[in-house]
Each structure stands twice: as C-alpha cells, then as structure tokens.
Amino acid sequence: MTTTLDRLPPIRGFIPSTLIDWPGRIAAILFLPSCNLRCAYCHAGPLLTAEQAEVIPFAEVRRYLESKKGWIDGVVICGGEPTLQPKLSALCDELHGLGLAVKLDTNGTRPEILSPLIDERRLDAVSMDIKTALDGRMVEVARCEVDLEAIEKSIGLLIAAGAKKDGPRLEIEFRTTCCPAFVDAAAVEWIARHLSDRAGPAGVPYVLQRFDPQHALEPELREMKPYAVGEMESLLAVARRFNPPSRLRNA
C-alpha cells in the first residue's frame, strides 16, 4: 500500500510562517535534504545529506496548513537543493491541492528538472541563487565543480517564464548572498550586467542578501565580519546601475 510519505520527498524542516521569504505573501517554509553544492557560507549544513535529521510527517504539516487556511497563502520549498528530490512534483501537487501557491528556492544547477515544473505550472514563483560571477569564482564558493552552462540555462528559463504574456506568468527572483570572501562590487556588477543583458534594460528582480556567519559551513567563515549596512547599500547602488529592479533583503 502506498502512503503519502512514500509519494512525497522527506521534509527535514518546517517554519510555520514567514513574511520575508515570499514578499507579498504569508508563507510557510518546507526544507528538503541533500545538495549538489557545498557552498562555504551555507547556513544549512544539516540538510546537505539525505541521512541526517528526523523526517517531519507531511500529515503534520498538512494539518497545520489546513488549520491556517485563509491566513497562510503560500509555501516555500527550499533546502538543500529541492530539485534533487525525485518526488518534488508530487509535493507541489499536494500543496496546490490545499489551495496554496508554491515557491521554489533553487541553485539553478538542474534546468532539466526546473523546466517541466514551470511548463506544467507546478510552480507559482521561483527564487534562484546566483552565488557570484559565473566564472572561476563559482568553484571557490561551491567547493566543487559546477556546470555553468546549466546555470545559464536556468537563468534563461526563468527570464522567459517571467516575461510570458500568454497565461499565468511565473513570479521570479534572482538573489546573491553577499559574503565578503566571494562577493564584492565587481561580482555584483558582473551579475547585474549579465541579468540585464539577458532580460533587457528594464532588468529583472534581483536581491542582495546579507551574509550571516553564525552557522557557515566553513568554520573560518564563522569569524568573518558581514558587510555593514552602508556597504550593502553601496553594493545595491552598483547593482541598480545595471539592473534597476535590484533591492536589499536582510540588510
């Protein structure tokens, strides 16, 4: 007999509500395990492998979401890297069946998974991380080999879906965590220029996030001082010169 647990990916974390992770909505957050990158500043170390941490039953999550119907109006699926989960589409369907919008947070390394999720309208929004300039600096951040062509393909998929004029348009956002070890004004300029080149002069939503050293995967980064508020504002000014819709979060 197939149970709901068998049909869905394991849930390793649950935040009942947030006003930050999906602006304009009151959303819950589901955390899925496993990631194909090992970013030095990652704050989700316990989620990087599938073996660690207790699984939260989806029935428990569903009961909560049903009890908050009319208040919670969306769910953010993040990780880890959710596109590594073969049952991700079933989870999207389950959440849509509860009348909730679904947002995916992704590193963009698996466009072959992202594309059908978009085409089949299993997603209402996608936030994609661009770690730094898409060159040798990516390996420094990710601590592993990275398929830059796959990331480029995901950027194109999202920009096209966000600009679609026939049918529901996907809500999209690109974002960069500004860890001083890997992201400086030159990297922000590279990303902002690149997004504008791909999307056109009007640009696309691009968010700069402040680095939080507290739980960084690499121990030496836990001692690194984050950018000050004024420094984050300076980075934002750089981004806005090339991509006007850029903004700050958690800064």
Side-chain angles (χ1 to χ4, degrees), residues 215-237:
H215 300 294
L217 189 62
E218 291 293 333
E220 64 268 22
L221 291 184
R222 295 172 198 162
E223 306 302 320
M224 178 167 283
K225 185 179 179 181
Y227 284 124
V229 172
E231 292 172 314
M232 289 297 297
E233 289 174 346
S234 294
L235 292 175
L236 176 62

Side-chain angles (χ1 to χ4, degrees), residues 169-188:
R169 187 167 66 178
L170 185 72
E171 183 182 336
I172 67 167
E173 172 186 276
F174 298 95
R175 61 190 186 186
T176 298
T177 297
C178 296
C179 177
F182 309 108
V183 176
D184 55 13
V188 169

Side-chain angles (χ1 to χ4, degrees), residues 132-249:
T132 187
L134 298 181
D135 52 27
R137 284 170 280 190
M138 271 295 298
V139 174
E140 295 176 16
V141 177
R143 297 294 203 261
C144 62
E145 290 300 318
V146 182
D147 185 346
L148 298 182
E149 289 187 7
I151 293 175
E152 290 281 16
K153 187 171 182 180
S154 291
I155 291 172
L157 284 171
L158 292 184
I159 289 174
K164 191 175 180 182
K165 290 184 169 57
D166 56 322
R169 187 167 66 178
L170 185 72
E171 183 182 336
I172 67 167
E173 172 186 276
F174 298 95
R175 61 190 186 186
T176 298
T177 297
C178 296
C179 177
F182 309 108
V183 176
D184 55 13
V188 169
E189 178 178 336
W190 190 99
I191 298 167
R193 280 182 180 271
H194 193 63
L195 291 175
S196 184
D197 287 344
R198 298 289 299 271
V204 288
Y206 177 45
V207 173
L208 300 180
Q209 301 181 148
R210 196 178 189 203
F211 160 66
D212 181 357
Q214 187 174 5
H215 300 294
L217 189 62
E218 291 293 333
E220 64 268 22
L221 291 184
R222 295 172 198 162
E223 306 302 320
M224 178 167 283
K225 185 179 179 181
Y227 284 124
V229 172
E231 292 172 314
M232 289 297 297
E233 289 174 346
S234 294
L235 292 175
L236 176 62
V238 171
R240 281 182 169 168
R241 283 205 298 271
F242 306 100
N243 186 74
S246 301
R247 63 186 188 276
L248 295 180
R249 181 177 296 151

Side-chain angles (χ1 to χ4, degrees), residues 106-156:
T106 181
N107 60 26
T109 57
R110 306 196 77 203
E112 71 279 10
I113 304 299
L114 190 57
S115 182
L117 287 172
I118 293 171
D119 291 344
E120 294 161 10
R121 298 181 179 174
R122 286 191 157 102
L123 302 173
D124 302 284
V126 177
S127 288
M128 177 178 158
D129 289 316
I130 302 180
K131 309 293 184 179
T132 187
L134 298 181
D135 52 27
R137 284 170 280 190
M138 271 295 298
V139 174
E140 295 176 16
V141 177
R143 297 294 203 261
C144 62
E145 290 300 318
V146 182
D147 185 346
L148 298 182
E149 289 187 7
I151 293 175
E152 290 281 16
K153 187 171 182 180
S154 291
I155 291 172

